[in-house]
Every structure is written in structure tokens, then in C-alpha cells.
Amino acid sequence: MSGIKYPRAKPYISQHSKEEILDRFTKILDTGNLIQGKYVKELEDKFAAFVGTKYAVATNSCTSALEIVIKSLNITNKKILVPSQTFVATGNAVILSGNTPVFVDMNKDTFSMSFKSIQENISKDVAAIMLVHMGGLISPEYYEIKSYCDKHNIILLEDAAHAHGSKINNLSAGNLGEAGCFSFYPTKLMTTGEGGMITTNNKELADKARLYRNHGGDGRNFTYNSSNYRMTELNAAIGLSQLEELPSFIEARNTIAKAYIKGLQNVKNIILLPTYDFIENSYWNFYFILNKEVSRKKFTNYLLEKGIQTGDAYSPSCHQQTAFENYIGDQDFSVTEDILQRHVSLPMYVGMTKEDTAYIINTINSL
Ligand SMILES: Cc1ncc(COP(=O)(O)O)c(C=O)c1O
């Protein structure tokens, strides 16, 4: 193997941002105000404006944001539907908030949980549904899922860890249900190092979330049992620069995705995911599916030999993880299991050039 020339993901911080961040770091260190000061507040205000919600509450990770949202909504001893095809954090947050995850199957066209699997797994104990916008794609089934939730009094929540800036009919991820949770992990669409954000239009939820992230209180009076989930000023200082450049990052990712779609649409044995006029995808990931006769292992090993690192969505999926073995019943995971064997995620990061994408496309075409 000649070494990885094209990693599947990497963070991007522009030279201008680096200078701005270092300048803010100096100011923070000079004041000695290292946590939850003016930069965290500024990031919250600007992120809320970006998503279009009234409130945003910063946390130290998306995982803690998910846990805090569920607790702030007083959901306890209930079931929450979660896709099996997601990072373990989604399921763990449900358990850590005192609830039971019910893992469900995915839709092969969207990589999100399918409306069919939701209907199959609903019961009177289900208090909420956690939609995960996999790779940045908001499922077009969102409308059916939302009406279903409204009709049956089920709370719709979003794990928008992959979906900063994604939109459906101009409505942003994070503003599609009762609350959205974002991740600022290094390889995400924007980073703060580690960090997360809750977005909501529900004032009571936002107020409670601010307490939950701070040991359950305001510093003197403590109402809830909680932990320390605060964001530091240093993390927020990075986030502000990243947020300012986020629209250009999303544009860059869309340019790469368009090139992949154009270059791969006629390749034998590759099935691209459908795109939709009314959905803007921020393309955290670019997934496609291989025909059944192709060996995924051979395909990805070949690309690796050529310096191209591919990824997968989440393999093994949650229902295959030991950590969740006590939470798996007789659900049907046939789509997830089929797609796990056949999907591929291509390199996707800001800074990839036209030549880089052309090399990747040509390498795949030469197979
Ligand atoms: C779908 C999903 N949810 C939640 C998380 C957790 O995010 P964090 O690392 O910020 O806790 C991740 C992280 O990769 C994720 O992919």
C-alpha cells in the first residue's frame, strides 16, 4: 500500500480562522474567564440564527446534548425509537437519560430510519422518535414521520450531528421537531474540538437544558441531578470562526458531491442515492451502494491501494453491538444488514480539489 493520499474525512481550519482563533484565545486567557462567557453566548446566538430556532444551548458534546434534551422534556421510563444505523451515542443518550431505545431498520434510499419501521415498532410506551439525518441527508419521509408524531402525540427529536445547514423545503435540520442536537467533533461539518449544541423553539426546554448542563442548577441552587456538560470559551472561540465559514464549507462539499454524482452515475455496479429538489444536503458524507455481485472488501481494498480511504456509515450497526444486546427484540433489520454489506463512503472534506475528485472518480471507473 502506498499510504493514504485521500483520507475519508479531516477537519479544515483556514489560515484566517487560525489567526482569529489565536487572537480570541489571548483575550480569553487575559480575562481568565475560561468557561461559558461571552464567546459561548455569541456562538449560541449565531447558531440559533443559522438554524432558524429561537434558542440554542451549547454543550460539551452532541452526546450530552441528546441526553439533556430527553431529560429536559421529562421523558423517563419510556421507549424512544432510534435507528440501528447510527453512532452508538444516539442509543446511549436514550439509556443514560433513563429510557429504553427501540432500534429500528433503515430506508436504503435515505440511510435514515424508515417510516415503515417506525410504524412496525410503535407501542403505547413510545414517547419520542429520534430522527438521525445520516451523512447530512434529511429523509423525504420526514413529512410522513412528522404527521404521524403529531397525530399520535409522540415527540419528534433530531440527532442532527451530521446535518448542520441541511434543509428540507428551506427548513433547517435542528428546526424540524421539538429539539435538535448537533456535534462539533473534529471531522463534523464544523468543529469546536469537542462540543455540541441544542436548538429549539421551546423556551422551557432551553431554560431547563441550561440547568442540566451545569450540574442541574444555576451555580448556587440545584434543581436536578446532573453532571458537567459545559462548553469552554476556548471551544466556542474555535466554533465562531468555523460557523462563519460554514456556508463556504457546505458549498465546497456540494461541489465535491456534484462531481461524484456526475462521474459515477453511469458506473456499472454502483447505485447512487436519490437526490431531491426540495432537500439541500450538506454532505457530511457521500454514500453509495454496490451491486450484490461486487465484493465490498475487494472494492475498498483496491481503492486503498490507490491511496483512497473509504469509510462506512456505522458498521457494526447498533443492533449488532454488545453494549445494546439487552435492548434488541425481534425487530426486522434486514435492510440495515443488507446495506451494511454493500455501502461505501467516499473521501469528503473541505480542501479537496477538482483534481482530487477526478482522481477518485477515474480510479473507480478503472475498476
Ligand atoms: C449520529 C451521531 N450522533 C451523535 C454523535 C455524538 O457526537 P459527539 O461526539 O459530539 O458526542 C455522533 C458522533 O459521531 C454521531 O455521528
Side-chain angles (χ1 to χ4, degrees):
M1 202 181 73
S2 54
I4 294 168
K5 263 187 5 218
Y6 306 99
R8 59 188 186 86
K10 63 176 175 183
Y12 178 81
I13 306 208
S14 68
Q15 188 54 37
H16 165 74
S17 280
K18 276 182 207 155
E19 286 159 21
E20 202 174 61
I21 291 165
L22 290 176
D23 184 46
R24 287 198 192 106
F25 275 15
T26 306
K27 289 187 177 129
I28 292 166
L29 296 173
D30 283 347
T31 61
N33 188 2
L34 294 171
I35 57 149
Q36 284 200 195
K38 71 171 202 165
Y39 290 122
V40 170
K41 171 84 173 71
E42 193 179 335
L43 183 63
E44 289 178 336
D45 291 348
K46 289 188 169 163
F47 201 81
F50 177 78
V51 171
T53 51
K54 288 190 189 149
Y55 312 101
V57 180
T59 57
N60 58 358
S61 72
C62 179
T63 313
S64 47
L66 290 162
E67 187 186 327
I68 289 172
V69 159
I70 299 169
K71 285 183 173 165
S72 301
L73 285 164
N74 293 332
I75 304 174
T76 167
N77 282 322
K78 294 283 185 188
K79 290 182 176 167
I80 300 183
L81 298 194
V82 174
S84 175
Q85 183 44 251
T86 181
F87 185 52
V88 289
T90 323
N92 279 331
V94 172
I95 296 169
L96 293 170
S97 67
N99 293 283
T100 303
V102 178
F103 292 100
V104 306
D105 208 3
M106 67 188 273
N107 177 325
K108 69 174 179 33
D109 289 335
T110 67
F111 277 46
S112 281
M113 64 166 86
S114 63
F115 182 46
K116 179 173 168 279
S117 67
I118 290 174
Q119 291 168 290
E120 281 168 3
N121 288 287
I122 214 75
S123 69
K124 64 173 178 28
D125 297 332
V126 173
I129 291 178
M130 183 72 76
L131 259 190
V132 183
H133 310 303
M134 284 291 295
L137 177 66
I138 299 173
S139 166
E141 290 190 296
Y142 160 68
Y143 291 108
E144 283 156 294
I145 296 170
K146 175 85 171 71
S147 332
Y148 187 85
C149 286
D150 291 346
K151 192 167 159 204
H152 296 277
N153 231 354
I154 294 167
I155 298 171
L156 182 63
L157 300 172
E158 291 172 81
D159 179 338
H162 304 176
H164 320 49
S166 292
K167 292 184 182 141
I168 183 161
N169 278 320
N170 274 325
L171 201 58
S172 291
N175 195 10
L176 303 177
E178 195 60 30
C181 299
F182 292 84
S183 172
F184 299 140
Y185 179 79
T187 55
K188 291 298 192 306
L189 289 143
M190 61 168 274
T191 186
T192 57
E194 292 275 14
M197 191 70 83
I198 298 165
T199 52
T200 184
N201 292 309
N202 177 337
K203 182 169 187 313
E204 197 187 325
L205 165 53
D207 289 345
K208 261 191 177 173
R210 288 181 205 287
L211 301 179
Y212 267 115
R213 76 169 167 193
N214 189 38
H215 302 281
D218 63 6
R220 181 168 293 274
N221 298 303
F222 295 90
T223 317
Y224 311 109
N225 301 115
S226 192
S227 188
N228 175 359
Y229 299 125
R230 293 183 300 246
M231 180 182 274
T232 74
E233 283 288 272
L234 299 159
N235 294 109
I238 301 172
L240 280 168
S241 295
Q242 288 270 292
L243 182 58
E244 200 176 305
E245 296 192 340
L246 183 56
S248 68
F249 296 168
I250 293 171
E251 203 180 310
R253 287 173 179 274
N254 269 271
T255 303
I256 299 163
K258 271 193 198 124
Y260 280 152
I261 291 169
K262 190 160 173 245
L264 300 177
Q265 62 191 349
N266 295 321
V267 179
K268 198 172 147 237
N269 289 329
I270 284 184
I271 305 159
L272 297 178
L273 302 194
T275 54
Y276 308 87
D277 295 347
F278 59 102
I279 295 173
E280 292 169 48
N281 186 347
S282 295
Y283 280 108
W284 181 59
N285 274 337
F286 186 90
Y287 306 122
F288 62 79
I289 300 169
L290 292 168
N291 266 336
K292 287 206 163 100
E293 50 273 22
V294 181
S295 152
R296 182 182 189 281
K297 198 162 181 212
K298 273 194 192 155
F299 183 92
T300 54
N301 279 347
Y302 175 79
L303 294 189
L304 197 56
E305 287 295 322
K306 303 287 178 192
I308 303 165
Q309 183 186 44
T310 54
D312 41 53
Y314 293 102
S315 182
S317 261
C318 289
H319 74 277
Q320 299 164 327
Q321 300 284 359
T322 310
F324 296 128
E325 67 189 6
N326 296 332
Y327 296 92
I328 305 305
D330 58 359
Q331 298 96 310
D332 173 14
F333 294 110
S334 51
V335 180
T336 306
E337 284 175 8
D338 173 40
I339 295 303
L340 275 181
Q341 308 299 319
R342 303 199 283 130
H343 79 287
V344 176
S345 165
L346 286 182
M348 174 59 85
Y349 50 89
V350 178
M352 279 180 80
T353 63
K354 262 189 197 161
E355 290 71 34
D356 296 339
T357 44
Y359 172 82
I360 294 167
I361 291 163
N362 290 339
T363 308
I364 294 173
N365 270 286
S366 70
L367 257 161

